[in-house]
Amino acid sequence: MAPSISRHAKQSSMRASAGLRLFSIGVADLSCKGIIGARVSHGRLPLIAFGMAHSGKNLLWSGVDGLSLYILIKVVVVSPIIAGMLFVISSFWNAAMDGIWGWTISRSSMIRRMLPGVSAVAVIIACLSFALLPSLPTGAIWPAATALIAFRTSFALLDVPHNAATTPLAQVHGHLALSRWRAILGAGMSVLIAVAASSTLLGTPQSAARAVIIFPLLALSALILLSPLPWLIQALAMDRPTPRSASAGPPAGMPSRALVTFCLIQMMGFAALASIGKSVLHIDIMPRWVLENALLLLSLMRLAGTWLWSPVATRFGSATALSIAYIFCAAAILSLPIAIGWGPVWCAAILCVLGASFGGIALLAWSTFSELLSHSENGAASFSASYGLFTAVSKIGLGFSALLTASWIDQYAQGLAPSSLSLMTIMVAILCILTALAAWDGWRQIFQVSNSRTPAV
């Protein structure tokens, strides 16, 4: 009896020791990938700092991306084609900065040590250039171009390291959970910008003049929200070197082929969606009260879409749910010209469906990308290069959307009809469907099943 008990105790001790070793290996692996040290392993302070910085960043981004084209055309009185070109050039410059800055961070330990200071300076410049946008003199093309380039440059310097902090936090708090918070905070800031636009830009010239006061107040709010960003970058130890992996794969600091493919697919989808978002304010054939509140409706439903699409992602996975969201978006876009003819209630309903689809895509695209990145073999420094690539191609898509919208506005400057709107919505809906098909996760499963079948003898 005694030897049996002793042997059983010894086996239990061995199992406990093995479990402890496995737990230690898991914690060490998470610490290596997540780059979360003892200072930030416990508590929610890094998550709060990330949320504040994300809110401030999206407050600036929503204002510039959603309203700068409108400001250039309606306030600065620049022709639609020139305004579209300025937006495209600044977007492409921002994309180039994202890629270069992300690659530089991944390759240089000295730059990674300088990130907190660089991000602090970039925050100040971005907020100042944002505040000056409505104050540009009439017809001032070069000052407008300078302000946009200054904003895009400084925004890239703070955006890439902030996005690189997503994966370390997601590996602790969950990819979908952190993407949900990103989407909620981003949509909340777009609602704030929509309220500001409804009260300052859309309406009489007197209300447009109030933008000179409102925009600096928004910039000050963004400055306060972005103030924890330098601490967050330092706390997450972004200056740690990228570990070299012995397994075959892309060079250290370089995104994998799956990540590159995903980014290129989303570039097409983002270009389609953003063109609709930018053109909504110029669709004069919509009922007046719907037109004045279109941006607010889209933003509110984008916020609601975060909760609506989370169960879908939980049930089918983020990648498949992303394709479904694009299909819903295509259907809403195709229905918009018909709904305008049916009256304001139907028009507002379609805008709500469109906004909810926007919210789902914003949530699921980042969640899918974060999951893909977590499976890569590279370390924390490569996160900057990967997120730099994602934001770069996204901004290229946004740049193309502005050019598409400006060309459409210029072509129908003499008068807009439902038929002319239908041409644009059909083209955008086709792009959404192509994006859904290209991004659908089921293709990979079909190919895997096909390859696993043994030939008949």
Side-chain angles (χ1 to χ4, degrees), residues 46-64:
L47 193 61
I48 293 172
F50 180 86
M52 289 181 62
H54 188 71
S55 299
K57 182 188 75 171
N58 275 274
L59 182 60
L60 296 176
W61 181 256
S62 298
V64 171

Side-chain angles (χ1 to χ4, degrees), residues 97-297:
M97 284 295 301
D98 280 353
I100 294 171
W101 186 233
W103 182 84
T104 303
I105 292 173
S106 69
R107 302 291 292 181
S108 174
S109 60
M110 181 184 70
I111 294 296
R112 291 196 291 272
R113 288 192 295 269
M114 296 170 58
L115 278 181
V118 172
S119 64
V121 175
V123 164
I124 296 173
I125 296 175
C127 291
L128 285 176
S129 56
F130 173 82
L132 291 175
L133 275 178
S135 304
L136 297 173
T138 302
I141 297 176
W142 290 111
T146 303
L148 285 176
I149 292 297
F151 175 83
R152 299 285 190 171
T153 303
S154 55
F155 191 86
L157 295 179
L158 67 93
D159 187 33
V160 172
H162 173 268
N163 286 329
T166 302
T167 297
L169 290 173
Q171 289 173 339
V172 174
H173 300 283
H175 297 284
L176 183 60
L178 193 65
S179 296
R180 186 185 300 117
W181 277 112
R182 286 181 62 106
I184 290 172
L185 295 174
M189 294 302 103
S190 68
V191 170
L192 183 59
I193 291 296
V195 171
S198 299
S199 60
T200 60
L201 291 179
L202 302 178
T204 64
Q206 290 77 14
S207 64
R210 290 198 295 269
V212 178
I213 301 175
I214 296 297
F215 269 61
L217 292 177
L218 293 173
L220 179 61
S221 301
L223 180 65
I224 295 173
L225 289 171
L226 281 164
S227 58
L229 180 59
W231 173 86
L232 177 67
I233 295 172
Q234 186 174 14
L236 292 183
M238 300 303 295
D239 59 335
R240 293 192 184 182
T242 302
R244 299 286 178 175
S245 176
S247 60
M254 296 299 293
S256 65
R257 182 181 300 177
L259 286 174
V260 173
T261 303
F262 178 82
C263 291
L264 293 177
I265 292 172
Q266 295 309 308
M267 179 179 68
M268 177 172 60
F270 291 164
L273 300 183
S275 63
I276 289 296
K278 290 178 174 63
S279 62
V280 161
L281 296 179
H282 300 271
I283 305 178
D284 297 331
I285 60 176
M286 284 197 299
R288 186 64 187 175
W289 72 267
V290 177
L291 177 62
E292 293 178 351
N293 296 281
L295 196 59
L296 184 59
L297 280 174

Side-chain angles (χ1 to χ4, degrees), residues 276 279 282-286 333 336-338 340 404-405 407-428:
I276 289 296
S279 62
H282 300 271
I283 305 178
D284 297 331
I285 60 176
M286 284 197 299
I333 291 170
L336 184 58
I338 303 174
I340 291 176
L404 176 64
T405 304
S407 301
W408 175 73
I409 293 171
D410 186 70
Q411 184 177 0
Y412 298 101
Q414 302 303 322
L416 184 64
S419 59
S420 60
L421 179 61
S422 298
L423 292 175
M424 182 180 184
T425 54
I426 290 173
M427 180 173 59
V428 171

